[in-house]
């Protein structure tokens, strides 16, 4: 089975859509995550 590749995908937008579908509480925490994820990705 070959690897699935996603190119040109806005990861944060995709994660936000998933969060909206599956999260009832603490949705505001995702705003913090949206700031942290790019910083951590660069530092890793």
């Amino acid at each position: 089975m070959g690897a699935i590749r996603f190119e040109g995908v806005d990861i944060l937008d995709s994660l936000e859509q998933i969060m909206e579908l599956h999260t009832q509480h603490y949705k505001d925490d995702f705003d913090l995550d949206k700031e942290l994820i790019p910083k951590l990705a660069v530092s890793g």
Side-chain angles (χ1 to χ4, degrees):
M1 180 177 200
I4 297 174
R5 294 182 60 136
F6 296 93
E7 296 179 18
V9 176
D10 184 338
I11 297 296
L12 292 178
D13 182 57
S14 298
L15 289 173
E16 187 166 13
Q17 290 178 37
I18 293 167
M19 182 272 305
E20 286 292 339
L21 285 173
H22 298 286
T23 305
Q24 292 180 351
H25 306 287
Y26 304 107
K27 289 185 176 187
D28 292 341
D29 286 356
F30 189 70
D31 291 333
L32 299 173
D33 296 337
K34 286 192 294 188
E35 292 178 22
L36 286 175
I37 290 170
K39 292 176 186 175
L40 294 172
V42 170
S43 69

